[in-house]
Amino acid sequence: MKRDRSLDVLIPPLELAGTLTLPEKARGLVAFAHGSGSSRFSTRNIAVAQGLNARGFATLLFDLLTPQEEQDRSNVFNVAMLGQRLVGTVDWLQGLEPAVASLPVGLFGASTGAAAALIAAAQLPHRIAAVVSRGGRPDLAGEALPHVRAPTLLIVGGADLGVIELNKEALSWLGGPSALEIIPNATHLFPEPGAMNAVIEHAGRWFGRHLQAPTSVRAAS
């Protein structure tokens, strides 16, 4: 029976706390960017991470803010800063053991974390292989959207009125392959029976299809 290996990590230079989970023979690594007011202990993101682990993907759940920064509510919505934290985290991953550093990297963003993930993907076109947004605000990535080359999946609840329209608008601006999946009758946090399972299924299929080294990286290797 295969067993996942979980490590508690501190990501420099701010020592951001996280959990890195490594299945045997991982096929890729997905870093999570949680939404406003959440943390690496988000039960929803943990559920998605476990679903991805079962499909052979390594995952990194980590806090984008220090405990002190969390006291200032405005930091939660500073998607430019959060995007830079993700860029730094991807750089940090490249310095880990070869079995981890060699994995293609995907990003999973929820709520405002989706915008941060897209900003990071725009800055790292040769490093980020795929992006998935859950109930996200990709529109907050603004001018970064046309520069995103990674295949991007936007998942929205069918009853998440207003957010659906914002996702459709963001979809039209994305520069790479993209798709929108609407989960029928689901609200913003996907608490309805079966809704999170649908999110996990869509995310797993998307990463399974697209999470491989970007072409330029493969060509250079």
Side-chain angles (χ1 to χ4, degrees):
M1 179 179 177
K2 293 183 177 180
R3 299 182 63 180
D4 296 344
R5 178 163 59 106
S6 289
L7 307 170
D8 291 328
V9 297
L10 293 174
I11 302 167
L14 298 175
E15 303 299 286
L16 300 173
T19 302
L20 178 64
T21 302
L22 301 166
E24 290 184 18
K25 298 181 180 178
R27 54 198 290 205
L29 188 151
V30 178
F32 282 68
H34 56 73
S36 55
S38 190
S39 73
R40 70 187 188 280
F41 299 116
S42 161
T43 56
R44 290 173 290 276
N45 279 351
I46 288 174
V48 175
Q50 290 175 341
L52 293 176
N53 296 151
R55 289 164 170 79
F57 295 107
T59 54
L60 174 65
L61 291 161
F62 74 105
D63 293 336
L64 280 80
L65 298 173
T66 66
Q68 293 75 22
E69 289 172 334
E70 289 175 354
Q71 303 306 311
D72 183 349
R73 184 68 177 166
S74 66
N75 286 327
V76 171
F77 298 96
N78 189 343
V79 294
M81 180 183 72
L82 300 180
Q84 290 307 121
R85 298 281 168 90
L86 275 174
V87 168
T89 298
V90 173
D91 287 340
W92 170 77
L93 287 169
Q94 301 300 307
L96 298 182
E97 60 188 81
V100 178
S102 63
L103 294 174
V105 176
L107 300 177
F108 184 98
S111 190
T112 52
L118 290 167
I119 289 170
Q123 293 188 33
L124 299 172
H126 306 313
R127 305 271 284 282
I128 303 304
V131 179
V132 174
S133 162
R134 171 184 64 79
R137 288 291 308 274
D139 56 296
L140 295 177
E143 296 178 355
L145 292 173
H147 301 286
V148 176
R149 296 291 178 259
T152 299
L153 174 65
L154 308 178
I155 304 174
V156 189
D160 197 3
L161 303 180
V163 174
I164 295 176
E165 288 71 25
L166 292 171
N167 274 257
K168 287 181 176 178
E169 180 181 356
L171 187 73
S172 70
W173 284 101
L174 284 166
S178 56
L180 175 67
E181 287 286 352
I182 298 177
I183 308 299
N185 304 316
T187 51
H188 187 61
L189 297 180
F190 300 87
E192 294 76 17
M196 281 303 301
N197 287 336
V199 170
I200 293 168
E201 189 62 32
H202 285 305
R205 281 204 300 262
W206 192 261
F207 285 128
R209 186 180 310 137
H210 298 291
L211 192 52
Q212 53 186 313
T215 303
S216 57
V217 175
R218 292 200 303 269
S221 62

